[in-house]
Amino acid sequence: MTRTVYVNGEYLPETEAKVSIFDRAFLMGDGVYEVTSVLDGKLIDFDGHAARLARSLKELDMQAPCTTEELLEIHRKLVEINGIEEGMVYLQVTRGAAADRDFVFPDPEEVKPTLVLFTQNKPGLADSPAAKKGIKVISIEDVRWGRRDIKTVQLLYPSMGKMMAKKAGVDDAWMVEDGFVTEGTSNNAYFIKGNKIVTRALSNDILHGITRAAVLRFAAEAQMEVEERNFTIAEAQAADEAFITSASTFVMPVVEIDGAALGDGAPGPRALRLREIYLEESRKAAI
Ligand code: PMP
């Protein structure tokens, strides 16, 4: 089935959707994005993603293409038209297509932002086999720019990180800066020791994960404490459990870090419990 996608006010078959070669996201990586999960045909954490989008736009002096209410309507319409029960909605806003290639930002009165949304159908997203097995990660150096809190489309290094992981025969990579883990290539990173969940504190060094915020809120329900601080790979390797979070993986257990198995090498009970709570609460709050 041909997907219906959204481009600048129009719902079109994916084969007919077009963006200018002068679009600044194409030429300069000058764009931001969000990924919102869909479960039971409903949007998970939409308000969080919309709020983070607004923040990314503001930090880059970029215009909002429309209101949050309009964005919600577009999300819902695409989910409905494309019959998505489980999957994702990808949204991208760019600084638009100026008349020519120029480093200087175009006048926002003259050049309107580009807004693109499309769905990705992922049946079985919540009941993922990976969550039952857990994932293995390697550590790599974090060489990204200094504003990782802004969700830009500049994903070349995370993409290279995934390739390094693939080459090493594992699933993903955790990035390390000045000896401390920042985050995963496309997710936030955590370990569990005893009753405590440890994850890096929010700053410009990491993306402020929407799933992270929810999981830390639900930690109390799992009778767990949260400590937000820097940690090393060695500390995570010596932990009881580890996991990652993102909108598309929810809570995903990590069973191996740089070749060292955690516990007995199977997903830990607390990470699995957090996943269960997250899915349950998110389904309840989905819109
Ligand atoms: N960190 C990075 C670098 C990411 O790319 C992502 C997901 N896009 C996350 C963390 C997780 O964020 P969220 O829970 O909002 O998907």
Side-chain angles (χ1 to χ4, degrees), residues 192 194-195 197 215-225 269-275 277-278:
I192 301 176
N195 209 26
I197 301 170
V215 167
L216 296 190
R217 250 190 347 260
F218 300 145
E221 199 178 316
Q223 273 89 45
M224 300 198 65
E225 285 168 39
R270 281 160 292 190
L272 289 176
R273 178 74 190 120
L274 283 169
R275 179 180 176 88
I277 296 171
Y278 176 78

Side-chain angles (χ1 to χ4, degrees), residues 33 52 144 151 183 185-188 207 209-211 246-247:
Y33 76 107
R52 186 172 60 191
R144 296 172 301 161
K151 198 164 168 63
E183 59 189 332
T185 57
S186 61
N187 42 68
N188 291 112
L207 187 74
I210 302 305
T211 321
S246 75

Side-chain angles (χ1 to χ4, degrees), residues 5-272:
V5 303
Y6 176 95
V7 183
N8 293 330
E10 287 190 284
Y11 293 87
L12 300 163
E14 63 184 40
T15 46
E16 286 170 33
K18 291 193 170 50
V19 174
S20 165
I21 64 155
F22 295 107
D23 195 280
R24 287 183 58 91
F26 180 65
L27 296 176
M28 309 262 176
D30 191 357
V32 298
Y33 76 107
E34 283 295 331
V35 176
T36 303
S37 278
V38 177
L39 291 177
D40 314 317
K42 290 184 182 163
L43 300 162
I44 303 296
D45 265 331
F46 175 82
D47 290 344
H49 290 285
R52 186 172 60 191
L53 174 69
R55 182 179 180 278
S56 293
L57 293 171
K58 185 165 157 278
E59 292 298 308
L60 295 174
D61 269 330
M62 218 184 269
Q63 278 179 294
C66 60
T67 65
T68 299
E69 291 70 34
E70 286 165 331
L71 280 184
L72 175 59
E73 198 190 313
I74 301 166
H75 275 77
R76 282 178 158 160
K77 195 161 168 186
L78 283 181
V79 167
E80 195 194 320
I81 298 174
N82 293 293
I84 309 294
E85 274 302 303
E86 288 198 7
M88 277 107 77
V89 181
Y90 176 87
L91 167 157
Q92 181 169 327
V93 182
T94 85
R95 206 182 302 274
D100 218 341
R101 181 176 179 272
D102 190 346
F103 282 80
V104 175
F105 293 172
D107 180 350
E109 289 305 314
E110 284 167 25
V111 175
K112 293 295 156 203
T114 301
L115 175 61
V116 169
L117 286 94
F118 58 82
T119 53
Q120 289 190 237
N121 194 23
K122 301 266 177 198
L125 185 66
D127 192 28
S128 137
K132 295 184 179 78
K133 242 175 57 190
I135 63 160
K136 298 176 179 178
V137 301
I138 51 166
S139 63
I140 60 172
E141 199 189 340
D142 195 340
V143 301
R144 296 172 301 161
W145 77 325
R147 289 306 304 275
R148 303 156 192 162
D149 56 310
I150 308 173
K151 198 164 168 63
T152 76
V153 296
Q154 298 166 43
L155 297 174
L156 182 54
Y157 189 66
S159 197
M160 289 167 74
K162 296 259 191 211
M163 292 310 294
M164 290 183 232
K166 193 173 170 187
K167 211 168 158 192
V170 299
D171 306 290
D172 209 344
W174 281 11
M175 295 178 282
V176 175
E177 185 173 58
D178 299 330
F180 296 107
V181 175
T182 51
E183 59 189 332
T185 57
S186 61
N187 42 68
N188 291 112
Y190 312 72
F191 72 79
I192 301 176
K193 186 81 177 171
N195 209 26
K196 213 176 272 170
I197 301 170
V198 177
T199 194
R200 193 177 176 110
L202 296 181
S203 71
N204 291 352
D205 298 338
I206 62 168
L207 187 74
H208 302 189
I210 302 305
T211 321
R212 177 189 185 278
V215 167
L216 296 190
R217 250 190 347 260
F218 300 145
E221 199 178 316
Q223 273 89 45
M224 300 198 65
E225 285 168 39
V226 175
E227 202 171 294
E228 294 175 79
R229 63 165 172 85
N230 283 359
F231 64 93
T232 62
I233 287 288
E235 205 181 349
Q237 284 173 320
D240 301 327
E241 300 182 29
F243 65 94
I244 56 166
T245 63
S246 75
S248 52
T249 62
F250 312 117
V251 176
M252 180 65 68
V254 170
V255 294
E256 189 186 293
I257 304 171
D258 280 341
L262 276 92
D264 60 4
R270 281 160 292 190
L272 289 176

